[in-house]
C-alpha cells in the first residue's frame, strides 16, 4: 500500500504507539496515509479504537513475524 509517512514504534508499549501516531497525523494533510509498525500485540485493538474515537480511517491492519502494521488515513 502507498503511504505518505512511516512511523516505527517497535519496542514501545501502549499508549506510546497511539500517542506517536496522533502526533504524526496532526502534521499530515487530510487524505494522507500513515503507516505505523508496532510490536505491541495490543496495538491491533488500540488502533481500531483510536480510529473510531478520532474519525481517522483505519485502512488496513496486518500481523506478521511479531510485528503489527497499521495504515491510517488522516481525516
Amino acid at each position: 500500500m502507498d503511504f505518505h509517512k512511516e512511523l516505527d514504534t517497535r519496542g514501545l508499549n501502549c499508549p506510546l504507539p497511539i500517542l506517536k501516531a496522533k502526533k504524526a497525523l496532526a502534521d499530515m494533510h487530510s487524505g494522507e496515509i500513515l503507516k505505523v509498525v508496532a510490536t505491541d500485540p495490543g496495538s491491533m485493538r488500540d488502533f481500531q479504537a483510536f480510529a473510531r474515537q478520532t474519525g481517522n480511517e483505519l485502512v488496513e491492519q496486518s500481523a506478521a513475524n511479531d510485528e503489527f502494521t497499521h495504515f491510517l488515513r488522516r481525516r
Side-chain angles (χ1 to χ4, degrees):
M1 171 175 288
D2 291 334
F3 55 91
H4 299 89
K5 190 179 219 180
E6 183 171 2
L7 185 59
D8 182 354
T9 65
R10 287 178 269 218
L12 300 178
N13 292 321
C14 181
L16 291 175
I18 293 290
L19 294 175
K20 290 187 175 286
K22 183 177 181 179
K23 186 173 194 271
L25 285 166
D27 293 334
M28 296 173 70
H29 297 288
S30 182
E32 289 187 331
I33 298 204
L34 172 66
K35 175 183 178 182
V36 182
V37 181
T39 50
D40 179 4
S43 69
M44 295 295 276
R45 171 180 23 77
D46 293 342
F47 275 98
Q48 291 167 11
F50 174 75
R52 276 194 308 275
Q53 292 169 357
T54 63
N56 294 300
E57 179 187 357
L58 183 60
V59 180
E60 184 180 310
Q61 287 184 301
S62 61
N65 303 321
D66 295 325
E67 288 189 352
F68 306 91
T69 306
H70 316 277
F71 291 92
L72 294 137
R73 180 176 285 121
R74 170 90 157 86
R75 62 177 164 102

